[in-house]
Amino acid sequence: PMRDSVPLIGMISRLTDQKGWDLVAEAAERLFAMNLQMIVLGNGDAKYQELLRLLERKYPDKLKAYLTFDDALAHRIEAASDMFLMPSRWEPCGLNQLYSLKYGTVPIVREVGGLADTVKPYNPLDGDGTGFLFQEYSADAMIAAVEQAVSLFAKKRQWGLLRKAGM
């Protein structure tokens, strides 16, 4: 069900360790304990497809997973999401964070490769930045970044300014 009062986090990705799915698997309980919804589009490793099916059954009001790839749907998800999660282990360039910025979808990314080059960390003191970054490749660091983003989402004025800065 659609819930406009909570952030929608999108993920469009190959389902592999390289894209950070091991972190999502480790953090799933904490992630879905937050007041958020998530939509995933992707295919890949069978263990992550099965994990997403299981999580979708466990959290039917919080997660929808499309285990395929569809370019048109990818862009609709990217544009409709409030946040875009990219916890990549490594990412030489990355395009989805660029699409996110253009669409006004705030990226939450690991500070690595092209993600670090294109997303400027949000500074709560002066409102500068375009998204949320985390350095350490760990579920705890990823969850902390998601918590920061979810917390700011409730502050509509600041959230709007952050979205505009990205665009």
Side-chain angles (χ1 to χ4, degrees):
M2 291 176 45
R3 293 173 48 209
D4 290 336
S5 60
V6 302
L8 176 63
I9 298 177
M11 282 188 83
I12 300 163
S13 160
R14 282 180 293 109
L15 306 179
T16 66
D17 287 344
Q18 185 254 320
K19 296 295 186 177
W21 283 96
D22 52 332
L23 297 184
V24 175
E26 183 181 336
E29 297 295 322
R30 292 181 286 166
L31 188 62
F32 292 109
M34 288 186 238
N35 196 20
L36 57 77
Q37 291 184 306
M38 193 167 188
I39 187 164
V40 174
L41 174 65
N43 55 24
D45 294 353
K47 66 182 177 181
Y48 295 126
Q49 291 188 63
E50 185 53 40
L51 171 71
L52 285 166
R53 286 186 195 103
L54 182 141
L55 291 171
E56 198 174 30
R57 286 190 302 272
K58 187 171 183 176
Y59 302 104
D61 292 344
K62 291 196 168 198
L63 176 65
K64 178 62 183 168
Y66 295 94
L67 302 177
T68 186
F69 186 77
D70 177 322
D71 191 54
L73 180 57
H75 282 275
R76 289 197 316 266
I77 288 170
E78 192 109 34
S81 296
D82 298 298
M83 302 165 191
F84 194 84
L85 181 60
M86 279 183 86
S88 301
R89 185 179 300 265
W90 75 89
E91 196 69 54
C93 178
L95 291 175
N96 284 97
Q97 81 282 6
L98 298 174
Y99 300 148
S100 292
L101 291 166
K102 184 73 170 172
Y103 286 130
T105 302
V106 176
I108 305 168
V109 302
R110 179 147 175 270
E111 192 172 337
V112 62
L115 303 177
D117 293 339
T118 56
V119 179
K120 186 175 179 186
Y122 175 73
N123 181 340
L125 299 177
D126 62 10
D128 192 37
T130 59
F132 297 88
L133 290 86
F134 61 99
Q135 282 189 319
E136 181 184 331
Y137 190 78
S138 72
D140 289 339
M142 182 187 75
I143 287 293
V146 172
E147 286 173 338
Q148 270 189 299
V150 169
S151 176
L152 187 68
F153 180 80
K155 300 172 183 168
K156 295 301 179 192
R157 185 180 162 289
Q158 289 100 320
W159 187 257
L161 293 171
L162 177 60
R163 291 181 64 230
K164 279 186 176 182
M167 289 189 275

